[in-house]
Amino acid sequence: MRGKLMATSTSSLRVVPNTLSLRERVTQVLREAILNLHFEPGEKLVERRLCEETGVSRTCVREALRHLEAEGLVKRTPTRGMFVSEIGPDEARQIYEVRSVLESAMTRQFVERASEKQLAALIAAFRRVEVTSSGKDYLAYARALEKFSACLMEGAGNDVARQILDMLSARITYLRTITARAANGEQDSVVALRKVIEAVQRRDADLAEQSSRDFVQNSADFALHILLKNSPEAAER
């Protein structure tokens, strides 16, 4: 069963004009539909159908799909056309490896550089993660973690690291949504993230860096367990 779409309404993809350009709005709506699992991983995306559902031209849909392709949320093949990306174990492992290196280093820099105001923002972001972790709105939980990461990058003051992680942002959120839905409240990421916050509050750079690395590893272990269990190879066994 497809997840409910939250970008515009729970039953329609129709685009409502606002201050964003039409292409940006279509991209936003389709991105939210993918992240909400309204379109399932591996599902074929037919331009004609997307035009009908969004109420916009094929040109707008194509431009939006090209943008989402650059984000890694959709893929195009000569034989299958355009379809929703499926993140396999190997790609997920590489994403977590990048996160482990960058996020742990940025956590150390946050401890060393962040102002009290930035620390307060990080704590507030963590509280939001706590609130959303126990619900069924998996995208809200993923977005809360995304906000936490953004606050961390802001306090660390390393724009290059932030740009690198921004390139992976959509795939990280997509992966979090998939694993959070599969977890159904079973993973203990919030416990691991709380240790990061506690170390940051004490301004203990060594402990904060290690706790961040442990948090990412915890998330990686769970995600890879889910992805390997649901892989085609596992299904054949």
Side-chain angles (χ1 to χ4, degrees):
M1 180 180 294
R2 293 178 180 171
K4 291 182 179 180
L5 176 65
M6 304 298 292
T8 53
S9 72
T10 57
S11 60
S12 173
L13 295 181
R14 188 158 294 275
V15 172
V16 178
N18 62 10
T19 56
L20 297 175
S21 73
L22 187 57
R23 194 272 300 167
E24 289 172 329
R25 183 61 179 146
V26 175
T27 301
Q28 183 183 72
V29 167
L30 294 182
R31 181 189 296 112
E32 293 294 301
I34 292 171
L35 294 177
N36 264 309
L37 305 180
H38 177 88
F39 298 121
E40 298 283 353
E43 181 174 347
K44 184 176 177 62
L45 297 173
V46 180
E47 287 184 1
R48 176 178 53 78
R49 176 190 160 198
L50 293 178
C51 291
E52 292 172 354
E53 292 193 72
T54 58
V56 301
S57 69
R58 181 164 291 189
T59 298
C60 284
V61 168
R62 284 178 177 173
E63 289 177 351
L65 290 176
R66 280 197 291 270
H67 191 90
L68 295 175
E69 185 178 11
E71 292 182 359
L73 291 179
V74 302
K75 292 184 179 180
R76 185 194 311 271
T77 68
T79 55
R80 293 182 59 192
M82 189 72 76
F83 61 97
V84 180
S85 296
E86 297 179 274
I87 298 182
D90 287 341
E91 182 179 358
R93 185 179 294 108
Q94 292 174 47
I95 289 173
Y96 282 111
E97 286 172 350
V98 172
R99 284 187 56 199
S100 180
V101 172
L102 288 181
E103 290 184 22
S104 60
M106 292 307 97
T107 301
R108 168 176 283 277
Q109 290 188 354
F110 184 97
V111 170
E112 296 170 344
R113 301 173 179 175
S115 66
E116 289 302 312
K117 182 178 179 180
Q118 289 169 328
L119 175 58
L122 187 71
I123 294 171
F126 172 69
R127 300 302 180 211
R128 181 59 182 166
V129 173
E130 286 186 308
V131 169
T132 56
S133 65
S134 58
K136 298 295 183 181
D137 190 342
Y138 306 118
L139 181 54
Y141 173 63
R143 289 294 194 204
L145 285 167
E146 185 179 288
K147 176 63 175 178
F148 180 90
S149 179
C151 290
L152 188 70
M153 294 300 110
E154 176 69 24
N158 191 316
D159 290 337
V160 173
R162 183 194 300 189
Q163 290 166 9
I164 293 172
L165 287 172
D166 281 348
M167 292 172 60
L168 295 172
S169 177
R171 275 177 287 178
I172 290 172
T173 299
Y174 186 39
L175 185 55
R176 281 170 169 159
T177 304
I178 293 171
T179 55
R181 184 172 71 164
N184 195 25
E186 294 178 5
Q187 60 177 325
D188 57 355
S189 293
V190 175
V191 175
L193 191 58
R194 184 177 294 112
K195 293 179 180 179
V196 177
I197 280 291
E198 291 171 351
V200 169
Q201 286 180 291
R202 293 202 297 268
R203 296 287 183 173
D204 187 331
D206 290 338
L207 181 58
E209 181 176 11
Q210 184 58 53
S211 297
S212 175
R213 192 175 293 113
D214 292 342
F215 164 67
V216 175
Q217 187 60 54
N218 177 279
S219 300
D221 290 344
F222 184 83
L224 292 173
H225 170 72
I226 294 297
L227 294 174
L228 287 169
K229 184 173 68 175
N230 296 331
S231 67
E233 292 79 5
E236 292 173 359
R237 291 198 292 269

